[in-house]
Amino acid sequence: MATQTSTPTRLTLRDLSKKSDRLTSGHRMCPGCAAPLVVKQVLMAIDEPVVVTCATGCLEVATTIFPQTAWNVPFIHNAFENSASTASGIEAAYRSLVRQGKIEDNNTRFVAFGGDGGTYDIGLQALSGAMERGHRMLYVCYDNNAYMNTGIQRSSATPLGANTTTSPAGKVVPGKRGMRKDLTAIMAAHNIPYVAQASPHNWRDLMQKVRKATAVDGPAFMNVLSSCNRGWRHDADETIEMQRLAVDTCMWPLYEVEDGEWRVTYKPKEKLPVTEYLKPQGRFRHLFQPGNQHLIDELQQEVDTRWERLLKLAGES
Amino acid sequence: MRHLRQHLPGRRYHHGGGDGSRQGRRGQVSDFKALDGNQAVAEAMRQINPDVVAAYPITPQTEAVQVFSQFVADGEVDTEFVTVESEHSAMSACVGAGAAGARVMTCTSSAGLAFMWEITYIAASMRLPIVMMVANRALSGPINIHCDHSDSMGARDNGWVQLFSESPEEAYDNMIQAVRIAEHPDLMLPVMVMQDGFITSHAMERVEVFDDQAVRDFVGTYTPRYSVLDVENPLTFGPLDFYVYYFEHKRQQVEAFSHAKDVILEVAADFNRRFNRNYGLMEAYRLDDADVALVALSSTAGTAKVVVDELRGQGVKAGLLKPRVFRPFPAEEMVEALSHVKAVAVMDRSISFGSMANAGPLFLEMAAAFYVNGNGSKVPMVDYVYGLGGRDIGPSEIESVYMDLLRIADGGEVPNLVTYLGVRE
């Protein structure tokens, strides 16, 4: 159980291995799903008591099938699109009750989780409102690039060309049209104290970002890539490798925006071509068929443009 | 009958006429203020001093949250006011705050209530005692900002207790009672307090406002049984519920509702003891010996009372039944109150499209209530849909309804099961 500690846990595997799980094993997430890794890393990085809100989605339905729960911290699921506004209410209640002396201030941290559907799309308004109002919370989007819980439909986080059940590759349409929405940049434009992009294959980078995010006295947002092998169509034991390839191809750069300062937190030694990331995934298989090379070229160009822009924002070019 | 209370205007006034200020009135029971319905509700909220209010402005509710915002800005309440970006988030934040064990309130109207709809169901299923004022307003389309009851009637099956208010005074009184009703351990259900948008939300009236301390004593403190802030005893709220348990959880909500009438009457009795104003499940106005009767909600009941008095002056035995509580629907009590009447007209300020004869929801409830509880007696009953989108209803129209009823009571045929009163056909 969460208790307040005077000295923060060091981010060493030896120290972390002594911490109890806040999301316990025995949940029903798919083998190879990155989302529980993301949640465990996020919650393990926080030493303070935590209250979790969660949008409807894989994470919620697979961890809370009544009468069982995998959550070892207070948890609330309200609806699909309102993880952020539910957390707003809890955080407001906490401040009100502490101020009135009705409960003790025990340094509780509020973490809201949502998938890309509940965050990029239907929940964007609630998220934007909560960030603008300045509630002290960390919102974590686990981005698996589609509405995975309802059967792999495209979302605005789905990359160009990906084959999903509502953007299927067909005779005249080769998968998802248009580029992904750059949600992390949208959140940075809110001028909140802390925004970051992370990946669970680089656990130390992710957890350090969580530490920073929960230390600020205000809203923080983290976008975390979270492979879904069912939707991405790769083997269950390739999850971490897919995450690494996303980062090394700069499809998913790791960076943070701290008080408006952009900083790249990981620079690949050798920036791999996007094909290294696309090839092992079944959702992109059709892109390698004759006549679709232009999509790969477009994607490469987009990735290069965004990466250059990021380097410029971070003062590295 | 314990539950059929007349609205007795026997009030204790422990002070002289008012200059409206609260200064120097210590120890006095109440004061009079010129308030419109929104201000009266905001005043009740100030006195209740909720832990969290999350609200988004919408006409004609806007003024209630504006006035309350000023109370927050002036430090007159301890409330955290969450100025959300939508009604959907207002109700979502209320659910979060309610789950955190806070006393929570909000206000809305029309499209705002419709936008909350998904979450109002969740609030009820989580058994969170949220109190919400609804300034009734028509639903789009076409867009219309004026009063009818289609918003609340649309939400009638969401699992909330619904109280309708005739006047700013009743809106004030109902808000105060709603807190106790919602938080009653037998209930733990959210409560909606309605008043007619613009008609009473913006009508300045003489409102008797009780002392702050008296109101605070009445509502008491709220001790939640569970809290999502309890990190020592972590609980999971809002889990996935398959067919193995979902049905039982819905059944538990029904069980809670089965206590609602008793709780509402218990709270009303205590309110009457302390403040000397009588509330029950309904108000029967000159109904005991009536030949014909109207059933009308909210402000229309006030207009109807004037008509009843005039008709009585002409020797017509007219009466009125004003339901205060629509959810839970007091079916037996309504039938009992009307069983001796020769003809009944139900006044509906909304339509249930595609229902039997395209009638209104109040009529459908009444028809069902008479079928089940009427012991075979068949009181002729007709429906008048009126006042949609704020169309005015005056004494002459209500009088025409009573005239129709007299013809029906006299053995005349029922001309129409449903009449759209005051519409250009």
Side-chain angles (χ1 to χ4, degrees):
Chain A
M1 195 36 238
T3 48
Q4 197 179 352
T5 51
S6 48
T7 49
T9 312
R10 286 177 304 165
L11 291 180
T12 63
L13 289 176
R14 178 195 289 269
D15 280 352
L16 294 173
S17 68
K18 291 176 190 158
K19 295 189 81 174
S20 58
D21 278 342
R22 286 174 155 181
L23 177 70
T24 64
S25 54
H27 56 70
R28 293 121 189 248
M29 300 292 273
C30 299
C33 172
L37 305 180
V38 173
V39 172
K40 285 189 180 194
Q41 289 182 18
V42 168
L43 297 183
M44 200 171 269
I46 304 169
D47 285 329
E48 293 86 356
V50 167
V51 174
V52 169
T53 68
C54 190
T56 311
C58 302
L59 178 61
E60 174 260 330
V61 302
T63 58
T64 70
I65 303 176
F66 188 88
Q68 292 168 327
T69 180
W71 295 88
N72 216 359
V73 291
F75 171 98
I76 183 169
H77 156 253
N78 190 347
F80 188 13
E81 62 288 348
N82 61 0
S83 187
S85 38
T86 305
S88 299
I90 296 171
E91 191 262 357
Y94 180 76
R95 270 188 289 128
S96 177
L97 297 174
V98 166
R99 184 161 41 75
Q100 296 178 68
K102 291 182 179 177
I103 60 169
E104 275 182 35
D105 185 351
N106 57 359
N107 233 2
T108 298
R109 296 289 180 260
F110 302 95
V111 180
F113 288 105
D116 50 297
T119 308
Y120 281 67
D121 293 338
I122 195 170
L124 182 62
Q125 174 187 304
L127 171 62
S128 176
M131 298 290 113
E132 179 268 330
R133 289 190 299 273
H135 295 280
R136 184 172 186 168
M137 69 165 85
L138 165 60
Y139 190 103
V140 179
C141 173
Y142 67 101
D143 178 350
N144 52 32
N145 290 187
Y147 303 144
M148 298 303 183
N149 190 43
T150 43
I152 318 165
Q153 293 84 23
R154 63 86 83 187
S155 79
S156 61
T158 304
L160 175 76
N163 185 352
T164 75
T165 55
T166 54
S167 64
K171 286 174 186 158
V172 292
V173 181
K176 198 249 188 177
R177 300 179 201 237
M179 298 293 172
R180 304 165 31 86
K181 184 191 281 182
D182 190 351
L183 180 67
T184 315
I186 292 170
M187 298 320 295
H190 282 66
N191 292 318
I192 53 177
Y194 191 80
V195 172
Q197 210 163 268
S199 163
H201 83 281
N202 193 338
W203 59 269
R204 191 188 299 275
D205 176 77
L206 186 150
M207 291 173 80
Q208 276 168 347
K209 286 170 176 169
V210 173
R211 285 277 170 92
K212 286 185 177 185
T214 51
V216 298
D217 186 13
F221 173 82
M222 282 179 62
N223 205 354
V224 184
L225 189 66
S226 177
S227 167
C228 164
N229 56 69
R230 300 294 307 129
W232 295 16
R233 308 220 177 279
H234 59 74
D235 288 341
D237 60 358
E238 290 176 344
T239 297
I240 290 298
E241 180 61 8
M242 288 310 125
Q243 304 271 149
R244 193 183 65 75
L245 285 170
V247 172
D248 282 343
T249 55
C250 294
M251 288 278 295
W252 189 265
L254 304 185
Y255 65 96
E256 64 187 4
V257 187
E258 206 173 351
D259 291 324
E261 294 291 321
W262 294 63
R263 195 168 75 85
V264 177
T265 60
Y266 170 83
K267 247 178 166 175
K269 284 194 187 84
E270 183 198 355
K271 182 168 169 281
L272 301 175
V274 292
T275 46
E276 295 292 308
Y277 176 66
L278 304 179
K279 252 184 197 158
Q281 299 181 45
R283 61 176 173 157
F284 296 119
R285 187 170 299 130
H286 60 286
L287 298 184
F288 296 93
Q289 287 167 358
N292 285 338
Q293 178 62 39
H294 67 101
L295 289 168
I296 297 175
D297 296 342
E298 277 176 50
L299 198 55
Q300 183 66 61
Q301 200 172 17
E302 180 73 13
V303 167
D304 293 347
T305 304
R306 289 190 186 192
W307 176 243
E308 290 304 320
R309 194 186 300 147
L310 176 63
L311 291 177
K312 199 179 276 182
L313 284 165
E316 298 208 18
S317 68
Chain B
M1 280 176 295
R2 189 168 65 90
H3 46 260
L4 283 181
R5 291 200 174 84
Q6 294 286 334
H7 186 83
L8 301 173
R11 299 163 181 165
R12 288 178 293 146
Y13 304 141
H14 285 204
H15 52 79
D19 57 7
S21 95
R22 284 189 301 280
Q23 304 296 319
R25 298 198 174 279
R26 212 170 285 263
Q28 291 171 349
V29 165
S30 66
D31 198 358
F32 288 99
K33 293 187 175 187
L35 299 174
D36 65 33
N38 277 331
Q39 292 165 347
V41 163
E43 184 70 359
M45 290 169 71
R46 182 188 63 74
Q47 295 181 315
I48 292 161
N49 192 17
D51 299 312
V52 174
V53 168
Y56 189 72
I58 179 169
T59 300
Q61 157 268 87
T62 312
E63 189 196 12
V65 294
Q66 277 177 192
V67 173
F68 188 75
S69 303
Q70 194 64 51
F71 293 143
V72 175
D74 291 338
E76 292 195 39
V77 287
D78 299 308
T79 311
E80 277 293 325
F81 184 32
V82 188
T83 49
V84 278
E85 83 297 333
S86 72
E87 288 89 351
H88 194 283
S89 283
M91 189 47 63
S92 301
C94 284
V95 166
R103 184 175 267 168
V104 186
M105 303 181 94
T106 185
C107 306
T108 196
S109 285
S110 182
L113 177 56
F115 196 25
M116 289 179 179
W117 215 307
E118 177 197 18
I119 314 301
T120 54
Y121 267 92
I122 293 168
S125 75
M126 282 201 200
R127 307 287 295 277
L128 300 175
I130 299 162
V131 172
M132 168 163 66
M133 186 275 279
V134 177
N136 283 133
R137 165 183 155 182
L139 279 170
S140 297
I143 188 167
N144 176 297
I145 60 168
H146 291 284
C147 177
D148 68 36
H149 296 163
S150 42
D151 48 4
S152 290
M153 286 302 169
R156 70 188 183 275
D157 297 336
N158 292 11
W160 288 54
V161 171
Q162 291 190 327
L163 308 177
F164 281 83
S165 322
E166 179 185 323
S167 61
E169 181 78 82
E170 287 193 7
Y172 170 82
D173 293 350
N174 277 334
M175 284 298 277
I176 293 166
Q177 292 177 66
V179 174
R180 280 267 301 268
I181 294 167
E183 292 170 4
H184 196 287
D186 291 348
L187 227 56
M188 291 299 289
L189 288 174
V191 179
M192 243 180 248
V193 173
M194 266 63 77
Q195 63 173 322
D196 280 350
F198 285 112
I199 299 168
T200 61
S201 70
H202 285 62
M204 186 80 70
E205 286 192 7
R206 188 171 182 262
V207 177
E208 186 186 13
V209 174
F210 308 116
D211 272 7
D212 288 2
Q213 196 52 51
V215 173
R216 285 181 188 180
D217 289 346
F218 178 79
V219 296
T221 52
Y222 170 51
T223 310
R225 282 179 71 188
Y226 308 106
S227 168
V228 77
L229 292 176
D230 184 359
V231 292
E232 299 302 323
N233 304 289
L235 290 173
T236 293
F237 292 68
L240 177 70
D241 218 5
F242 280 136
Y243 38 74
V244 187
Y245 290 100
Y246 181 85
F247 203 172
E248 281 71 24
H249 286 142
K250 292 294 119 181
R251 179 65 183 83
Q252 287 178 333
Q253 280 179 254
V254 172
E255 177 64 21
F257 253 104
S258 73
H259 303 296
K261 278 198 283 193
D262 288 343
V263 169
I264 292 165
L265 290 172
E266 181 188 316
V267 172
D270 191 33
F271 190 83
N272 184 29
R273 255 195 309 279
R274 292 175 193 238
F275 302 120
N276 202 17
R277 204 146 42 230
N278 259 328
Y279 285 94
L281 303 172
M282 65 195 82
E283 180 189 340
Y285 187 77
R286 304 187 83 163
L287 193 60
D288 284 352
D289 64 339
D291 287 334
V292 290
L294 241 65
V295 180
L297 292 160
S298 294
S299 67
T300 308
T303 314
K305 285 174 186 170
V306 175
V307 177
V308 167
D309 289 347
E310 280 175 9
L311 290 174
R312 287 276 176 169
Q314 298 165 25
V316 178
K317 286 188 174 176
L320 171 77
L321 189 61
K322 180 187 80 177
R324 172 191 180 220
V325 181
F326 189 77
R327 282 290 180 267
F329 191 74
E332 291 170 38
E333 293 85 351
M334 298 280 282
V335 170
E336 197 170 345
L338 292 167
S339 54
H340 62 285
V341 175
K342 292 174 186 157
V344 175
V346 178
M347 305 292 289
D348 265 299
R349 205 159 196 160
S350 61
I351 299 174
S352 180
F353 293 105
S355 70
M356 177 179 68
N358 289 300
L362 184 55
F363 176 79
L364 297 167
E365 292 279 354
M366 292 298 300
F370 263 97
Y371 183 82
V372 174
N373 299 295
N375 294 326
S377 75
K378 202 177 173 211
V379 178
M381 190 161 55
V382 286
D383 189 22
Y384 288 82
V385 173
Y386 74 99
L388 299 191
R391 178 152 300 176
D392 205 13
I393 179 139
S396 62
E397 277 146 331
I398 291 175
E399 194 179 325
S400 78
V401 173
Y402 277 112
M403 292 303 120
D404 289 353
L405 283 183
L406 288 172
R407 280 191 289 278
I408 295 167
D410 218 22
E413 295 233 329
V414 177
N416 294 305
L417 191 62
V418 181
T419 302
Y420 297 94
L421 189 65
V423 72
R424 292 186 298 275
E425 298 279 3

